[in-house]
């Protein structure tokens, strides 16, 4: 109980400090030399939009930095108050099949976590609604949340069942075998994501605007991309935000545009966005993401195994855990993986920002229309209420893309930079 009080007190102090930093202490002032440029939000946002973008972004950032340690506290709560032992007991007497034991245990743990985090998630939803970013009904939002829950439960059950079977077979090398099995599983998930999982949330269909579609396919042909179609998705039923992306691998690779993007951007701006997504394909970013995922999973499982064994050895008895192969130790493993994922996220984001910068460069060289590129990001920032120059800690932990300030300044200065480079070569 004493430790629980200390943890809660520490969490409360952390929350207050993070709130103060984000809303009062963080410096996100625009550099003096960029005032009046295309990167200056005052040049394309109204005073009210500037105020809303700052408030909305800081609230969402604060919710993220609260939700992560809250997840850790939940795992510790489940362990410290004996809930994990109770989950194990409740699931073990149902049947002789271990996969059912695992499924029921994961269901109980997932449901407990879902209930405890629901208030924060619901508040995040209401914030998006109040700032007119989300237009999704509560019923639709709950449907998506439940789809998330059951997909996560199914995948987690399979992975946990395999991991604990391996642990019981070989306590020392289970992590290596788990990593080897994770490679085909990761590839499989990359392959089915666009055609099986994504359609569970939204309707995808070929781009309706045939003229724009021909222009996009012309760029694809110029880039030697064997694209036969471009997809749009009806996100306007849920949000006013803009987005486009490329996901999947092999024959299941898809280039996707949200219909909100089509509604808000001009054709030239859309072509820049599409050229950016094609840049990811041309530079093999999806495959590099896959490779990095495999490498990080190796390091994560290796380090996670060492921490897991030490924590079970030190705290297992007080938590009522019988050993590393005890299913009741799952919260320990999930806590360790969550901590490692959070710790490595700044590095992952830095690599991702470099890839996005390269894709921007590819797109601007392909379309040769800096004005459309700048206009696209200005519209994206305005509609999505994106903070143009977020605090450093937010950029490190949350931004897999360059900040709007960085992107707009880069694209606005592109012609000047190219002219300077040409003169140097001469």
């Amino acid at each position: 109980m004493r430790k629980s009080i200390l943890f809660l007190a520490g969490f409360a102090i952390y929350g207050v400090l993070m709130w103060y930093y984000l809303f009062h202490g963080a410096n996100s002032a625009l550099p003096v030399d960029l005032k009046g440029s295309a990167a200056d939000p005052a040049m394309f946002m109204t005073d009210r939009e500037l105020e809303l973008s700052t408030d909305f972004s800081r609230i969402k950032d604060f919710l993220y930095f609260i939700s992560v340690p809250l997840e850790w506290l939940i795992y510790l709560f489940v362990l410290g108050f004996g809930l994990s032992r109770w989950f194990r007991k409740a699931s073990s007497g149902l049947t002789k099949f271990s996969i059912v034991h695992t499924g029921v245990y994961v269901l109980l743990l997932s449901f407990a976590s879902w209930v405890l985090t629901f208030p924060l998630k619901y508040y995040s939803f209401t914030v998006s609604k109040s700032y007119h970013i989300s237009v999704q009904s509560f019923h639709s939002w709950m449907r998506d949340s439940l789809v998330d829950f059951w997909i996560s439960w199914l995948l987690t059950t399979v992975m946990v069942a395999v991991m604990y079977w391996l642990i019981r077979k070989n306590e020392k090398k289970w992590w290596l075998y788990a990593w080897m099995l994770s490679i085909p599983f990761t590839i499989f998930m990359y392959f089915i994501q666009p055609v099986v999982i994504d359609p569970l949330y939204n309707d995808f269909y070929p781009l309706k605007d045939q003229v724009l579609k021909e222009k996009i396919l012309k760029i694809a042909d110029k880039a030697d991309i064997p694209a036969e179609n471009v997809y749009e998705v009806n996100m306007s039923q849920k949000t006013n935000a803009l987005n486009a992306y490329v996901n999947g691998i092999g024959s299941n690779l898809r280039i996707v545009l949200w219909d909100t993007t089509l509604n808000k951007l001009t054709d030239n701006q859309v072509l820049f966005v599409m050229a950016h997504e094609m840049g990811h394909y041309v530079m093999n970013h999806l495959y590099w993401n896959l490779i990095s995922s495999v490498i990080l999973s190796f390091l994560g499982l290796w380090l996670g195994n060492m921490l897991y064994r030490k924590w079970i050895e030190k705290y297992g008895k007080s938590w009522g855990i019988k050993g590393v192969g005890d299913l009741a130790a799952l919260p320990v493993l999930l806590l360790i993986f969550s901590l490692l994922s959070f710790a490595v996220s700044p590095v992952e984001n830095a690599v991702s920002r470099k890839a996005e910068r390269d894709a921007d460069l590819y797109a601007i060289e392909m379309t040769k229309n800096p004005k459309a590129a700048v206009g696209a990001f200005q519209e994206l920032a305005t509609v999505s209420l994106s903070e143009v120059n977020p605090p450093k800690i937010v950029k490190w932990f949350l931004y897999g893309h360059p900040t709007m300030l960085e992107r707009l300044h880069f694209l606005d200065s592109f012609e000047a930079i190219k002219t300077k480079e040409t003169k140097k070569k001469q």
Side-chain angles (χ1 to χ4, degrees):
M1 182 60 70
R2 185 182 302 171
K3 287 183 179 180
S4 298
I5 294 173
L6 288 175
F7 278 128
L8 289 173
F11 179 70
I13 293 171
Y14 160 81
V16 171
L17 292 175
M18 184 56 67
W19 175 85
Y20 178 80
Y21 170 77
L22 290 174
F23 289 94
H24 298 285
N27 178 21
S28 58
L30 193 74
V32 176
D33 59 316
L34 293 183
K35 289 187 176 180
S37 71
D40 184 351
M43 302 302 292
F44 57 89
M45 286 186 181
T46 65
D47 290 342
R48 180 58 177 163
E49 287 170 340
L50 282 170
E51 180 183 353
L52 290 174
S53 68
T54 300
D55 291 346
F56 176 72
S57 297
R58 297 300 172 86
I59 292 172
K60 298 293 280 190
D61 296 340
F62 177 71
L63 290 175
Y64 167 78
F65 284 108
I66 288 296
S67 65
V68 172
L70 176 61
E71 178 188 3
W72 304 338
L73 278 178
I74 289 171
Y75 291 140
L76 291 173
F77 172 81
V78 168
L79 289 164
F81 284 86
L83 287 177
S84 189
R85 285 175 292 171
W86 185 85
F87 293 161
R88 177 191 61 202
K89 183 179 179 180
S91 61
S92 62
L94 297 175
T95 176
K96 63 180 181 180
F97 298 107
S98 61
I99 185 65
V100 177
H101 301 166
T102 303
V104 173
Y105 178 92
V106 171
L107 180 61
L108 293 171
L109 179 62
S110 300
F111 182 72
S113 179
W114 187 85
V115 169
L116 292 171
T117 58
F118 181 82
L120 208 60
K121 292 176 181 177
Y122 178 70
Y123 178 65
S124 179
F125 164 69
T126 59
V127 167
S128 295
K129 288 274 286 187
S130 63
Y131 281 84
H132 304 292
I133 299 300
S134 173
V135 295
Q136 191 172 17
S137 67
F138 175 77
H139 177 269
S140 175
W141 176 76
M142 275 300 298
R143 177 191 174 278
D144 286 352
S145 297
L146 291 174
V147 169
D148 276 339
F149 178 87
W150 289 111
I151 289 177
S152 176
W153 169 78
L154 178 61
L155 295 177
T156 303
T157 296
V158 173
M159 290 187 289
V160 169
V162 172
M163 278 196 302
Y164 275 89
W165 180 79
L166 291 172
I167 290 172
R168 290 161 191 151
K169 290 293 182 181
N170 193 322
E171 286 189 7
K172 291 185 178 180
K173 293 184 178 180
W174 72 268
W175 64 271
L176 180 60
Y177 300 134
W179 173 73
M180 293 171 66
L181 289 173
S182 75
I183 297 175
F185 179 77
T186 302
I187 295 172
F188 175 70
M189 290 304 299
Y190 265 72
F191 191 75
I192 69 167
Q193 176 83 31
V195 295
V196 176
I197 297 178
D198 289 347
L200 294 174
Y201 297 90
N202 299 100
D203 295 327
F204 291 77
Y205 39 83
L207 183 61
K208 296 175 183 177
D209 188 334
Q210 293 300 310
V211 175
L212 180 59
K213 177 181 175 180
E214 289 302 318
K215 291 179 180 178
I216 294 172
L217 291 178
K218 186 176 180 180
I219 294 178
D221 183 63
K222 186 178 178 181
D224 293 325
I225 298 174
E228 297 180 357
N229 221 328
V230 179
Y231 293 88
E232 62 177 289
V233 55
N234 62 333
M235 289 301 296
S236 57
Q237 295 179 359
K238 298 181 179 181
T239 182
N240 287 319
L242 313 183
N243 196 16
Y245 61 88
V246 55
N247 69 347
I249 57 175
S251 60
N252 280 2
L253 184 139
R254 279 188 173 182
I255 299 174
V256 179
L257 273 163
W258 286 10
D259 60 346
T260 50
T261 304
L262 294 166
N263 296 336
K264 293 288 185 179
L265 301 186
T266 66
D267 280 6
N268 285 336
Q269 291 170 347
V270 170
L271 290 176
F272 170 79
V273 171
M274 285 291 91
H276 170 96
E277 300 304 330
M278 292 175 192
H280 286 304
Y281 179 89
V282 170
M283 291 180 279
N284 297 312
H285 288 164
L286 286 176
Y287 292 99
W288 282 113
N289 286 344
L290 179 59
I291 293 171
S292 65
S293 176
V294 170
I295 294 172
L296 286 175
S297 66
F298 175 87
L299 296 174
L301 284 165
W302 170 69
L303 183 56
N305 170 60
M306 291 194 297
L307 293 173
Y308 180 58
R309 294 171 67 85
K310 289 181 179 179
W311 286 17
I312 296 300
E313 182 180 341
K314 187 172 183 179
Y315 304 110
K317 188 175 181 181
S318 62
W319 287 335
I321 295 172
K322 301 174 183 178
V324 293
D326 186 352
L327 189 58
L330 177 60
V332 181
L333 204 54
L334 295 176
L335 172 60
I336 290 171
F337 288 152
S338 181
L339 287 167
L340 292 176
S341 177
F342 182 76
V344 79
S345 60
V347 177
E348 289 182 300
N349 286 335
V351 173
S352 177
R353 288 195 297 271
K354 173 62 168 60
E356 295 295 336
R357 176 67 169 265
D358 291 343
D360 282 347
L361 177 60
Y362 177 88
I364 198 66
E365 290 181 337
M366 175 66 75
T367 60
K368 303 187 185 302
N369 193 339
K371 184 178 179 180
V374 169
F377 283 125
Q378 288 178 336
E379 185 68 20
L380 176 62
T382 303
V383 173
S384 303
L385 293 180
S386 301
E387 190 170 16
V388 172
N389 189 28
K392 292 292 185 183
I393 193 172
V394 174
K395 174 184 172 181
W396 295 338
F397 283 95
L398 286 175
Y399 275 58
H401 292 72
T403 66
M404 282 297 176
L405 180 73
E406 294 168 336
R407 301 183 95 165
L408 287 169
H409 177 57
F410 170 71
L411 295 169
D412 187 45
S413 308
F414 176 76
E415 289 184 337
I417 293 172
K418 292 296 290 185
T419 301
K420 189 175 181 180
E421 289 178 351
T422 303
K423 287 181 178 179
K424 281 184 178 181
K425 290 179 181 179
Q426 292 174 348

